[in-house]
Amino acid sequence: MAMYMEYNIAQDWIRFKGETLFGHGMLLGLILLRVIVFDWAKNPLGYVLHGLVYVSMWLLPIVQVVYHSIYGEFISTGAIIALQQTDPKESVEWIMTYVKVPVLMLLSIVLLLLGSFPWIYELKIYRKKNFPDTILGKKSLVIMSLIIWSATVIKLFPMVGVVDQWKEQRILQAEELRFNDNYEERFAGIQVHPKYNLAKGTYIVVVGESESRDYMKVYNPEYKYKNTPWLSSMATDDNMIIMDRAYACYNLTKIALGTGFTEASQYNDIAFTNSMSLLDIAKKRGFKTYWFSNQIGEQFNEVPIHMVARRADTVKISTNEYDDGLLPLLSTVDPNENNLIILHLAGSHARYVCRYPENERVFEERSNEGDYANSVYFTDRFLQQVFDYAKDNLNLQAMLYFSDHGEDYDLGHGPAIKKWSTIRIPMWIYLSPQYREIHREETANLLLHQHAYFTNDMLYNTVCGLLDMPSNHYRPVEDLTSKEYAFTRDNLFAFNRQVPIADDNGQPDFEYLDTSKTAVYLVTQRR
């Protein structure tokens, strides 16, 4: 009766009804286990088992409290998405960056005390009182608790908010695999209408990770770390176009790149699962395509960007710990071909100190900000190496760099972190003299749009324009190389159109128009 009443009250008044009901059920289950362990078995192994079960009941509440203490909200759909595309190594790095060792030690002590408490209470305190128990009472309690515990595990555990969200995302991930449905038929239907003959040469798109222009010297002259020496020196090069108003469409890699490398964007009704990718169009145009990555997560088949990457002719995941391990892969590219190379970096993903060798630390400050600045410096040096090699050896025609999203070096990234720094991203395009000579109109439009506002879910169309690949899967209004580019500060958004870019007035924080609509489901059209 109490459970029934609790459920009906929870329907109207308690947000976490699943957690509440599951907790009540587990409590009765513990009563069952207590009777078996302390009244019947009286075995040390049983005491340990009881302690482990007791501690396990505290894990989810503790995780929620820790998460809330960092981000000011409980675990959301965005956090579930991030967790499902994160490998164990990245998870450990996240904990070490944002939770810190002292907090972990404190939590370990708390869990140890929690696990010891039932044993101390039962054997040292309660037993001394020697309360009488009847056999009939015990058996009735065991039977009742057994029924309740079974119902708890089978019926109530799936109602726990985090578990329900996890299941929903798994279902959606399975649906995202429809991106590969009828691929041959859809690829055959691509019709490319180039304006120019395809000149021999190499185009490179580099995808940065968690790099925010707020913490880059080239974008922020007042920033205390000189962490972009190469890019700052290239700012005066007539062939370099540094975009200073680029934003991420979302501060999660899955969504930013799932839309950035396909037709899908916030500004059309094309679902990821129904779209073609940049690599598909490039192959149809006659490019040999390469995807070189230092992101271990791309080995997960269910991640959308992995499905996009697999469309390349050559896919290689670096086994090197740092991004410069991608450099040797460039030597496998034939300079006599028409090449499109995608380089996907680990960049400035937390833990920042793990993104560069210790002997290449430039800034000595041992802090999240200092480590982050060093990771940006390392990326700047890596980009210079890629640029120099491609220019000297691969007949470089154009090179584009952008970050998937930004970062707050004290909080990280994700929809729970409502900081503009997590979506203000760097972006630049280098055009060779040969490219500028042939593609005069595209060059003029890029120069015209150098200070235009842009979100990276429109990258697909911009690269299609850059590589002269207009097709039946191309929208010139989303292309910076086109005179038809139609977006300004007033009609651009992030987070599924719930954060107007026009709201960016220099303050650190933003607010959602409607929090319930911020989730992006790549398997459906924009909502």
PDB file of all heavy atoms in Angstrom, residues 182-200:
ATOM      1  N   ASN A 182      20.646   1.487 -47.783  1.00  0.00           N
ATOM      2  CA  ASN A 182      20.521   1.798 -49.219  1.00  0.00           C
ATOM      3  C   ASN A 182      21.634   2.740 -49.696  1.00  0.00           C
ATOM      4  O   ASN A 182      21.420   3.601 -50.535  1.00  0.00           O
ATOM      5  CB  ASN A 182      19.153   2.438 -49.513  1.00  0.00           C
ATOM      6  CG  ASN A 182      17.999   1.574 -49.065  1.00  0.00           C
ATOM      7  OD1 ASN A 182      17.989   0.364 -49.301  1.00  0.00           O
ATOM      8  ND2 ASN A 182      17.017   2.183 -48.411  1.00  0.00           N
ATOM      9  N   TYR A 183      22.831   2.549 -49.131  1.00  0.00           N
ATOM     10  CA  TYR A 183      23.916   3.476 -49.446  1.00  0.00           C
ATOM     11  C   TYR A 183      24.277   3.456 -50.935  1.00  0.00           C
ATOM     12  O   TYR A 183      24.444   4.512 -51.553  1.00  0.00           O
ATOM     13  CB  TYR A 183      25.154   3.149 -48.607  1.00  0.00           C
ATOM     14  CG  TYR A 183      26.364   3.931 -49.043  1.00  0.00           C
ATOM     15  CD1 TYR A 183      26.421   5.312 -48.851  1.00  0.00           C
ATOM     16  CD2 TYR A 183      27.442   3.302 -49.670  1.00  0.00           C
ATOM     17  CE1 TYR A 183      27.522   6.041 -49.265  1.00  0.00           C
ATOM     18  CE2 TYR A 183      28.544   4.024 -50.086  1.00  0.00           C
ATOM     19  CZ  TYR A 183      28.579   5.396 -49.878  1.00  0.00           C
ATOM     20  OH  TYR A 183      29.670   6.116 -50.303  1.00  0.00           O
ATOM     21  N   GLU A 184      24.413   2.288 -51.497  1.00  0.00           N
ATOM     22  CA  GLU A 184      24.816   2.206 -52.903  1.00  0.00           C
ATOM     23  C   GLU A 184      23.828   2.942 -53.803  1.00  0.00           C
ATOM     24  O   GLU A 184      24.224   3.676 -54.717  1.00  0.00           O
ATOM     25  CB  GLU A 184      24.940   0.745 -53.340  1.00  0.00           C
ATOM     26  CG  GLU A 184      26.097  -0.011 -52.705  1.00  0.00           C
ATOM     27  CD  GLU A 184      25.800  -0.457 -51.285  1.00  0.00           C
ATOM     28  OE1 GLU A 184      24.631  -0.302 -50.842  1.00  0.00           O
ATOM     29  OE2 GLU A 184      26.731  -0.943 -50.612  1.00  0.00           O
ATOM     30  N   GLU A 185      22.551   2.755 -53.510  1.00  0.00           N
ATOM     31  CA  GLU A 185      21.521   3.417 -54.318  1.00  0.00           C
ATOM     32  C   GLU A 185      21.576   4.928 -54.152  1.00  0.00           C
ATOM     33  O   GLU A 185      21.487   5.684 -55.126  1.00  0.00           O
ATOM     34  CB  GLU A 185      20.148   2.888 -53.908  1.00  0.00           C
ATOM     35  CG  GLU A 185      18.989   3.522 -54.664  1.00  0.00           C
ATOM     36  CD  GLU A 185      17.646   3.000 -54.193  1.00  0.00           C
ATOM     37  OE1 GLU A 185      17.618   1.944 -53.526  1.00  0.00           O
ATOM     38  OE2 GLU A 185      16.622   3.667 -54.476  1.00  0.00           O
ATOM     39  N   ARG A 186      21.744   5.379 -52.926  1.00  0.00           N
ATOM     40  CA  ARG A 186      21.797   6.825 -52.673  1.00  0.00           C
ATOM     41  C   ARG A 186      23.076   7.440 -53.235  1.00  0.00           C
ATOM     42  O   ARG A 186      23.058   8.553 -53.770  1.00  0.00           O
ATOM     43  CB  ARG A 186      21.681   7.101 -51.172  1.00  0.00           C
ATOM     44  CG  ARG A 186      20.310   6.763 -50.607  1.00  0.00           C
ATOM     45  CD  ARG A 186      20.107   7.326 -49.216  1.00  0.00           C
ATOM     46  NE  ARG A 186      20.960   6.668 -48.224  1.00  0.00           N
ATOM     47  CZ  ARG A 186      21.624   7.298 -47.282  1.00  0.00           C
ATOM     48  NH1 ARG A 186      21.573   8.616 -47.203  1.00  0.00           N
ATOM     49  NH2 ARG A 186      22.368   6.625 -46.405  1.00  0.00           N
ATOM     50  N   PHE A 187      24.202   6.716 -53.140  1.00  0.00           N
ATOM     51  CA  PHE A 187      25.449   7.220 -53.696  1.00  0.00           C
ATOM     52  C   PHE A 187      25.352   7.353 -55.220  1.00  0.00           C
ATOM     53  O   PHE A 187      25.836   8.332 -55.807  1.00  0.00           O
ATOM     54  CB  PHE A 187      26.609   6.282 -53.321  1.00  0.00           C
ATOM     55  CG  PHE A 187      27.943   6.736 -53.830  1.00  0.00           C
ATOM     56  CD1 PHE A 187      28.647   7.735 -53.184  1.00  0.00           C
ATOM     57  CD2 PHE A 187      28.496   6.154 -54.967  1.00  0.00           C
ATOM     58  CE1 PHE A 187      29.886   8.156 -53.654  1.00  0.00           C
ATOM     59  CE2 PHE A 187      29.726   6.564 -55.445  1.00  0.00           C
ATOM     60  CZ  PHE A 187      30.428   7.574 -54.784  1.00  0.00           C
ATOM     61  N   ALA A 188      24.704   6.367 -55.845  1.00  0.00           N
ATOM     62  CA  ALA A 188      24.551   6.415 -57.306  1.00  0.00           C
ATOM     63  C   ALA A 188      23.710   7.606 -57.735  1.00  0.00           C
ATOM     64  O   ALA A 188      23.847   8.103 -58.864  1.00  0.00           O
ATOM     65  CB  ALA A 188      23.926   5.113 -57.796  1.00  0.00           C
ATOM     66  N   GLY A 189      22.850   8.103 -56.832  1.00  0.00           N
ATOM     67  CA  GLY A 189      21.981   9.220 -57.183  1.00  0.00           C
ATOM     68  C   GLY A 189      22.620  10.588 -57.054  1.00  0.00           C
ATOM     69  O   GLY A 189      22.009  11.602 -57.387  1.00  0.00           O
ATOM     70  N   ILE A 190      23.876  10.646 -56.561  1.00  0.00           N
ATOM     71  CA  ILE A 190      24.559  11.934 -56.416  1.00  0.00           C
ATOM     72  C   ILE A 190      24.915  12.495 -57.797  1.00  0.00           C
ATOM     73  O   ILE A 190      25.499  11.795 -58.627  1.00  0.00           O
ATOM     74  CB  ILE A 190      25.839  11.786 -55.568  1.00  0.00           C
ATOM     75  CG1 ILE A 190      25.502  11.328 -54.159  1.00  0.00           C
ATOM     76  CG2 ILE A 190      26.611  13.107 -55.519  1.00  0.00           C
ATOM     77  CD1 ILE A 190      26.721  11.022 -53.307  1.00  0.00           C
ATOM     78  N   GLN A 191      24.581  13.740 -58.011  1.00  0.00           N
ATOM     79  CA  GLN A 191      24.907  14.410 -59.276  1.00  0.00           C
ATOM     80  C   GLN A 191      25.705  15.676 -58.955  1.00  0.00           C
ATOM     81  O   GLN A 191      25.179  16.622 -58.378  1.00  0.00           O
ATOM     82  CB  GLN A 191      23.631  14.769 -60.037  1.00  0.00           C
ATOM     83  CG  GLN A 191      22.767  13.568 -60.396  1.00  0.00           C
ATOM     84  CD  GLN A 191      21.449  13.981 -61.035  1.00  0.00           C
ATOM     85  OE1 GLN A 191      21.242  15.147 -61.350  1.00  0.00           O
ATOM     86  NE2 GLN A 191      20.563  13.013 -61.203  1.00  0.00           N
ATOM     87  N   VAL A 192      26.975  15.654 -59.330  1.00  0.00           N
ATOM     88  CA  VAL A 192      27.865  16.788 -59.069  1.00  0.00           C
ATOM     89  C   VAL A 192      27.962  17.641 -60.328  1.00  0.00           C
ATOM     90  O   VAL A 192      28.092  17.121 -61.436  1.00  0.00           O
ATOM     91  CB  VAL A 192      29.263  16.308 -58.642  1.00  0.00           C
ATOM     92  CG1 VAL A 192      30.181  17.498 -58.352  1.00  0.00           C
ATOM     93  CG2 VAL A 192      29.158  15.421 -57.406  1.00  0.00           C
ATOM     94  N   HIS A 193      27.895  18.978 -60.128  1.00  0.00           N
ATOM     95  CA  HIS A 193      27.917  19.903 -61.264  1.00  0.00           C
ATOM     96  C   HIS A 193      29.044  20.927 -61.077  1.00  0.00           C
ATOM     97  O   HIS A 193      28.806  22.087 -60.719  1.00  0.00           O
ATOM     98  CB  HIS A 193      26.573  20.630 -61.378  1.00  0.00           C
ATOM     99  CG  HIS A 193      25.391  19.710 -61.371  1.00  0.00           C
ATOM    100  ND1 HIS A 193      25.080  18.864 -62.408  1.00  0.00           N
ATOM    101  CD2 HIS A 193      24.435  19.481 -60.414  1.00  0.00           C
ATOM    102  CE1 HIS A 193      23.993  18.169 -62.117  1.00  0.00           C
ATOM    103  NE2 HIS A 193      23.585  18.527 -60.910  1.00  0.00           N
ATOM    104  N   PRO A 194      30.298  20.522 -61.308  1.00  0.00           N
ATOM    105  CA  PRO A 194      31.424  21.432 -61.069  1.00  0.00           C
ATOM    106  C   PRO A 194      31.494  22.554 -62.097  1.00  0.00           C
ATOM    107  O   PRO A 194      31.037  22.414 -63.234  1.00  0.00           O
ATOM    108  CB  PRO A 194      32.636  20.500 -61.185  1.00  0.00           C
ATOM    109  CG  PRO A 194      32.174  19.395 -62.084  1.00  0.00           C
ATOM    110  CD  PRO A 194      30.725  19.203 -61.778  1.00  0.00           C
ATOM    111  N   LYS A 195      32.090  23.661 -61.668  1.00  0.00           N
ATOM    112  CA  LYS A 195      32.290  24.803 -62.575  1.00  0.00           C
ATOM    113  C   LYS A 195      33.651  24.764 -63.248  1.00  0.00           C
ATOM    114  O   LYS A 195      33.848  25.353 -64.299  1.00  0.00           O
ATOM    115  CB  LYS A 195      32.156  26.110 -61.791  1.00  0.00           C
ATOM    116  CG  LYS A 195      30.775  26.380 -61.246  1.00  0.00           C
ATOM    117  CD  LYS A 195      30.672  27.773 -60.651  1.00  0.00           C
ATOM    118  CE  LYS A 195      31.483  27.897 -59.384  1.00  0.00           C
ATOM    119  NZ  LYS A 195      31.316  29.230 -58.736  1.00  0.00           N
ATOM    120  N   TYR A 196      34.598  24.071 -62.640  1.00  0.00           N
ATOM    121  CA  TYR A 196      35.972  24.056 -63.135  1.00  0.00           C
ATOM    122  C   TYR A 196      36.423  22.620 -63.386  1.00  0.00           C
ATOM    123  O   TYR A 196      35.871  21.672 -62.823  1.00  0.00           O
ATOM    124  CB  TYR A 196      36.928  24.700 -62.120  1.00  0.00           C
ATOM    125  CG  TYR A 196      36.466  26.023 -61.585  1.00  0.00           C
ATOM    126  CD1 TYR A 196      35.836  26.109 -60.341  1.00  0.00           C
ATOM    127  CD2 TYR A 196      36.644  27.197 -62.306  1.00  0.00           C
ATOM    128  CE1 TYR A 196      35.405  27.320 -59.831  1.00  0.00           C
ATOM    129  CE2 TYR A 196      36.220  28.424 -61.809  1.00  0.00           C
ATOM    130  CZ  TYR A 196      35.602  28.477 -60.569  1.00  0.00           C
ATOM    131  OH  TYR A 196      35.175  29.685 -60.081  1.00  0.00           O
ATOM    132  N   ASN A 197      37.463  22.490 -64.208  1.00  0.00           N
ATOM    133  CA  ASN A 197      38.106  21.193 -64.355  1.00  0.00           C
ATOM    134  C   ASN A 197      38.886  20.897 -63.077  1.00  0.00           C
ATOM    135  O   ASN A 197      39.470  21.795 -62.456  1.00  0.00           O
ATOM    136  CB  ASN A 197      39.057  21.199 -65.558  1.00  0.00           C
ATOM    137  CG  ASN A 197      38.312  21.335 -66.873  1.00  0.00           C
ATOM    138  OD1 ASN A 197      37.205  20.813 -67.024  1.00  0.00           O
ATOM    139  ND2 ASN A 197      38.905  22.035 -67.828  1.00  0.00           N
ATOM    140  N   LEU A 198      38.913  19.639 -62.688  1.00  0.00           N
ATOM    141  CA  LEU A 198      39.566  19.255 -61.439  1.00  0.00           C
ATOM    142  C   LEU A 198      41.072  19.290 -61.602  1.00  0.00           C
ATOM    143  O   LEU A 198      41.654  18.517 -62.363  1.00  0.00           O
ATOM    144  CB  LEU A 198      39.109  17.857 -61.012  1.00  0.00           C
ATOM    145  CG  LEU A 198      39.554  17.374 -59.636  1.00  0.00           C
ATOM    146  CD1 LEU A 198      39.048  18.310 -58.549  1.00  0.00           C
ATOM    147  CD2 LEU A 198      39.036  15.958 -59.390  1.00  0.00           C
ATOM    148  N   ALA A 199      41.716  20.232 -60.916  1.00  0.00           N
ATOM    149  CA  ALA A 199      43.169  20.364 -60.979  1.00  0.00           C
ATOM    150  C   ALA A 199      43.818  19.419 -59.981  1.00  0.00           C
ATOM    151  O   ALA A 199      43.270  19.153 -58.912  1.00  0.00           O
ATOM    152  CB  ALA A 199      43.579  21.805 -60.690  1.00  0.00           C
ATOM    153  N   LYS A 200      44.981  18.899 -60.326  1.00  0.00           N
ATOM    154  CA  LYS A 200      45.693  18.003 -59.424  1.00  0.00           C
ATOM    155  C   LYS A 200      46.101  18.767 -58.165  1.00  0.00           C
ATOM    156  O   LYS A 200      46.565  19.904 -58.233  1.00  0.00           O
ATOM    157  CB  LYS A 200      46.940  17.435 -60.100  1.00  0.00           C
ATOM    158  CG  LYS A 200      46.664  16.596 -61.335  1.00  0.00           C
ATOM    159  CD  LYS A 200      45.958  15.295 -60.982  1.00  0.00           C
ATOM    160  CE  LYS A 200      45.747  14.440 -62.235  1.00  0.00           C
ATOM    161  NZ  LYS A 200      45.033  13.181 -61.933  1.00  0.00           N
TER     162      LYS A 200
END
